[in-house]
């Protein structure tokens, strides 16, 4: 496996882990049941008390470092082409870590978007 | 009770928030890039000196970009509190079509046929994903 492919995969892995943590944090905030008006204030107060937000941010940061490493060692469009794998990784990760269902419309939609992005970049 | 306008299964408000989040994200990154300019990364120390050198007016663009970038996180958390991650993430790709379409109309750029096909596939993908039923009844209580 080439170095760039490996770097992109590692980067996407950490970025998706970060997103999973953010989603978990958002659900936790939801569960506490605050109205939409106080949502931002509520979030500000909770950021210090919600460890998953910080873990998510750290994972994102690590992912970004690998992403930049990939960008600096390959052609921009090629790296972004590889990066389109993130939607498929996210679909699988959300299924295992967040119990989100993989239904037919999600699967078809995700594959179409990934293919569409590849065509858009490659053309 | 307020009526919620939906695109298939997805509340229009959430879709607009996702698009806004993505556009703000792109703008913030452009600002940071513009503000950083070219700086040599000799050491972490010299990098921070560069960031805190307010004699350089461009550096304000960087800080503005960073603040906008961080504020944008609230929009993303709002989105995640309402829809599945596996729905929100691919829908953020709608900026892949909005930017080329803007380029076509405002900059009169020529678009190759293969790219049109790619854009069409993304639109079709968004159609399918917005039709997917939510895994949980997320945040419905607070509507």
């Amino acid at each position: 496996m080439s170095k760039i492919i490996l770097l992109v995969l590692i980067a996407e892995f950490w970025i998706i882990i970060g997103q999973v943590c953010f989603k978990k944090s958002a659900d936790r905030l939801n569960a506490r049941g605050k109205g939409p008006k106080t949502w931002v204030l509520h979030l500000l107060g909770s950021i210090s008390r919600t460890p998953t937000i910080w873990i998510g941010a750290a994972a994102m940061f690590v992912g970004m470092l690998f992403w930049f490493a990939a960008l600096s060692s390959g052609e921009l469009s090629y790296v972004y082409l590889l990066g389109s794998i993130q939607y498929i990784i996210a679909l699988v990760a959300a299924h295992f870590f967040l119990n989100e269902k993989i239904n037919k419309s999600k699967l078809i939609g995700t594959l179409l978007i990934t293919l569409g992005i590849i065509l858009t970049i490659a053309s | 009770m307020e009526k919620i306008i939906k695109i298939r299964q997805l509340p229009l408000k959430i879709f607009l928030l996702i698009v806004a989040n993505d556009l703000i994200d792109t703008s913030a990154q452009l600002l940071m890039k513009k503000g950083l300019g070219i700086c040599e990364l000799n050491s972490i120390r010299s990098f921070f000196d560069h960031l805190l050198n307010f004699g350089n007016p461009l550096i304000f663009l960087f800080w503005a970009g960073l603040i906008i970038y961080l504020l944008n996180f609230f929009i993303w958390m709002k989105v995640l509190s309402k829809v599945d991650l596996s729905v929100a993430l691919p829908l953020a790709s709608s900026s892949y079509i909005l930017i080329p379409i803007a380029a076509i109309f405002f900059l009169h750029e020529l678009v190759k046929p293969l790219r049109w096909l790619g854009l069409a596939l993304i639109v079709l993908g968004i159609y399918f994903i917005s039709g997917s039923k939510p895994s949980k009844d997320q945040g419905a209580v607070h509507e």
Side-chain angles (χ1 to χ4, degrees):
Chain A
M1 202 168 10
S2 93
K3 190 184 149 205
I4 298 172
I5 296 179
L6 196 65
L7 281 174
V8 169
L9 282 179
I10 297 172
E12 295 297 356
F13 171 80
W14 284 109
I15 288 171
I16 298 300
I17 292 292
Q19 292 286 10
V20 167
C21 288
F22 290 152
K23 172 66 179 161
K24 275 194 189 293
S25 315
D27 285 344
R28 198 165 303 171
L29 292 172
N30 249 0
R32 286 185 198 152
K34 289 280 174 182
K37 270 176 197 157
T38 55
W39 211 86
V40 169
L41 280 179
H42 183 60
L43 180 61
L44 272 177
S46 306
I47 281 179
S48 54
R49 282 177 277 118
T50 312
T52 39
I53 290 188
W54 294 106
I55 299 171
M60 276 286 187
F61 184 73
V62 173
M64 289 295 188
L65 291 182
F66 279 99
W67 180 250
F68 291 140
L71 279 180
S72 61
S73 57
E75 209 181 306
L76 190 75
S77 57
Y78 178 59
V79 176
Y80 271 91
L81 201 75
L82 294 174
S84 61
I85 189 85
Q86 68 157 305
Y87 301 109
I88 295 164
I89 299 179
L91 189 67
V92 177
H95 177 69
F96 284 109
F97 296 121
L98 301 166
N99 295 322
E100 290 183 6
K101 289 192 192 93
I102 301 182
N103 50 33
K104 215 183 280 172
S105 32
K106 248 189 221 174
L107 188 65
I108 297 173
T110 304
L111 291 177
L112 283 174
I113 286 176
T114 308
L115 195 62
I117 290 172
I118 289 174
L119 275 182
T120 310
I121 299 173
S123 63
Chain B
M1 190 157 167
E2 209 180 320
K3 194 167 178 280
I4 303 166
I5 307 165
K6 281 187 173 183
I7 308 175
R8 289 156 56 77
Q9 300 284 333
L10 189 83
L12 179 65
K13 196 179 119 190
I14 298 299
F15 181 73
L16 292 178
L17 278 180
I18 293 174
V19 173
N21 175 272
D22 221 49
L23 294 180
I24 293 170
D25 184 278
T26 310
S27 325
Q29 293 204 34
L30 286 176
L31 274 176
M32 286 194 280
K33 164 103 179 124
K34 185 84 187 160
L36 270 182
I38 297 157
C39 71
E40 283 181 30
L41 284 172
N42 295 324
S43 65
I44 292 191
R45 177 71 207 256
S46 71
F47 180 61
F48 279 107
D49 283 345
H50 180 79
L51 291 186
L52 295 172
N53 174 19
F54 292 105
N56 167 18
L58 274 181
I59 210 67
F60 286 104
L61 289 183
F62 170 82
W63 286 104
L66 186 66
I67 291 167
I68 295 171
Y69 191 78
L70 293 177
L71 287 178
N72 204 21
F73 178 70
F74 292 106
I75 300 184
W76 186 241
M77 289 298 279
K78 182 81 195 169
V79 169
L80 286 186
S81 74
K82 298 290 180 194
V83 291
D84 283 0
L85 179 64
S86 48
V87 167
L89 217 53
L91 286 184
S93 67
S94 50
S95 70
Y96 274 94
I97 45 171
L98 294 176
I99 291 171
I101 286 173
I104 293 159
F105 279 102
F106 296 112
L107 307 173
H108 306 287
E109 274 185 19
L110 232 68
V111 179
K112 291 177 202 152
L114 207 58
R115 178 162 287 187
W116 276 120
L117 183 63
L119 296 178
L121 287 182
I122 296 174
V123 175
L124 202 60
I126 289 173
Y127 174 81
F128 271 102
I129 288 197
S130 60
S132 107
K133 287 211 172 68
S135 296
K136 282 173 268 181
D137 197 11
Q138 281 155 330
V141 197
H142 315 305
E143 284 297 344

